[in-house]
């Protein structure tokens, strides 16, 4: 999986200086490829609600990016830099019971939602997954919401999904993580600090057709999938609608 911002502009560099999508002549496909593993806990009884799982996965990505181990000379920093220098791939796998507990012994961050548990791990080489994660299944992450999600709260960052692109819950979790990451890269340092202080509060919703037409052409960050799984290459899947970014449109 990969995400991509709308075409780069050399005249308008990203506010976030660490945004690789605004650096010129980045040979992304030629760099060593890394992947960010996420594991969602899906027990036989009481699976998480779909929207909560998507929101929890998005927060997990942001928490990893801001963890002190991913900064400066931290133990995860090199892997995070290598991952962000190549395609920003994320893969979601599922675990339950003993599998979940084994995954929890590896370095990472477990994030709790209302019903969901997601563990995010530092990036690994595309062909170098730890054995505890490599054997976990990618399929079988279909989840449902017990009731339709209500309107997002006022002033809340919203990750709007394209109503015309169907995806599994696992794929959608990765796409939500992409969108949150794109928004993060475009924020200034004070804006990032405020979002972090809120606990990275955010909402995930599916746009109506009319909303999507407006959002996807608004200039807000758009996730465009590389087409490795489930959707056609270049498909626009999510728009990251952060209030701070909307003020700059």
């Amino acid at each position: 999986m990969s995400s991509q911002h709308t075409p780069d502009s050399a005249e308008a560099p990203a506010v976030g200086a660490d945004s690789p999508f605004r650096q010129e002549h980045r040979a992304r496909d030629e760099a060593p490829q890394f992947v960010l593993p996420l594991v969602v806990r899906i027990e036989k009884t009481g699976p998480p609600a779909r929207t909560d799982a998507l929101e929890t996965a998005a927060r997990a990505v942001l928490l990893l990016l801001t963890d002190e181990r991913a900064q400066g000379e931290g133990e995860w920093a090199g892997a995070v830099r290598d991952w962000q220098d190549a395609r920003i791939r994320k893969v979601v796998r599922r675990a339950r019971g003993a599998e979940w507990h084994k995954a929890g012994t590896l370095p990472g961050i477990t994030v709790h939602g209302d019903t969901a548990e997601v563990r995010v791990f530092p990036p690994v080489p595309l062909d170098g997954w730890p054995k505890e994660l490599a054997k976990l299944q990618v399929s079988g992450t279909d989840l449902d919401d017990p009731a339709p999600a209500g309107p997002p709260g006022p002033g809340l960052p919203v990750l709007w999904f394209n109503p015309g692109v169907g995806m599994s819950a696992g794929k959608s979790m990765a796409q939500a993580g992409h969108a949150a990451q794109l928004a993060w890269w475009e924020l200034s340092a004070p804006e990032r600090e405020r979002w972090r202080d809120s606990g990275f509060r955010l909402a995930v919703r599916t746009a109506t057709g009319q909303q999507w037409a407006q959002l996807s052409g608004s200039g807000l960050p758009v996730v465009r999938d590389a087409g490795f799984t489930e959707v056609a290459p270049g498909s626009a899947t999510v728009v990251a609608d952060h209030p701070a970014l909307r003020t700059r449109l």
Side-chain angles (χ1 to χ4, degrees):
M1 298 180 189
S2 177
S3 59
Q4 189 171 351
H5 198 284
T6 46
D8 295 351
S9 170
E11 291 76 27
V15 174
D18 54 346
S19 173
F21 293 119
R22 297 301 182 92
Q23 296 176 20
E24 295 184 78
H25 310 300
R26 175 73 68 176
R28 302 182 66 79
D29 290 333
E30 297 176 9
Q33 299 296 300
F34 284 74
V35 61
L36 185 78
L38 297 104
V39 175
V40 55
R41 184 176 188 179
I42 303 181
E43 300 289 348
K44 290 183 178 179
T45 58
R50 180 185 176 99
T51 296
D52 188 40
L54 269 58
E55 292 173 349
T56 305
R59 289 193 296 115
V61 171
L62 294 169
L63 286 166
L64 181 128
L65 289 172
T66 56
D67 191 281
E68 63 180 9
R69 289 166 289 186
Q71 308 294 316
E73 300 303 318
E75 60 187 286
W76 300 348
V80 170
R81 283 193 296 270
D82 289 342
W83 169 59
Q84 293 189 115
D85 280 346
R87 284 186 174 272
I88 312 300
R89 298 189 184 191
K90 301 177 182 69
V91 172
V92 177
R93 300 192 176 200
R94 62 179 173 87
R96 64 172 181 255
E99 294 174 334
W100 172 257
H101 293 295
K102 286 181 182 177
T105 64
L106 298 177
I109 303 169
T110 299
V111 183
H112 299 266
D114 293 332
T115 62
E117 288 182 76
V118 175
R119 188 164 178 84
V120 61
F121 303 86
V124 297
L126 189 60
D127 57 355
W129 284 65
K131 64 181 187 300
E132 294 88 349
L133 304 182
K135 63 184 180 181
L136 299 178
Q137 297 296 310
V138 176
S139 60
T141 56
D142 291 324
L143 301 171
D144 296 310
D145 283 316
L156 204 62
V158 183
L159 311 178
W160 292 102
F161 273 72
N162 184 343
V165 178
M167 295 178 287
S168 68
K171 174 79 170 181
S172 298
M173 289 170 67
Q175 299 293 295
H178 293 337
Q181 190 169 2
L182 290 182
W184 176 258
W185 276 328
E186 298 295 338
L187 295 175
S188 66
E191 291 164 348
R192 290 179 174 187
E193 189 66 26
R194 286 192 291 272
W195 200 10
R196 182 166 46 211
D197 288 346
S198 78
F200 291 120
R201 293 180 64 244
L202 55 83
V204 170
R205 297 292 186 270
T206 298
T208 65
Q210 183 177 3
Q211 283 176 315
W212 181 258
Q214 295 171 341
L215 288 163
S216 59
S218 66
L220 291 166
V222 180
V223 176
R224 297 189 183 278
D225 194 74
F228 294 119
T229 60
E230 296 193 23
V231 301
S235 297
T237 57
V238 193
V239 170
D241 187 4
H242 193 290
L245 301 181
R246 184 168 282 277
T247 63
R248 300 204 281 270
L249 297 179

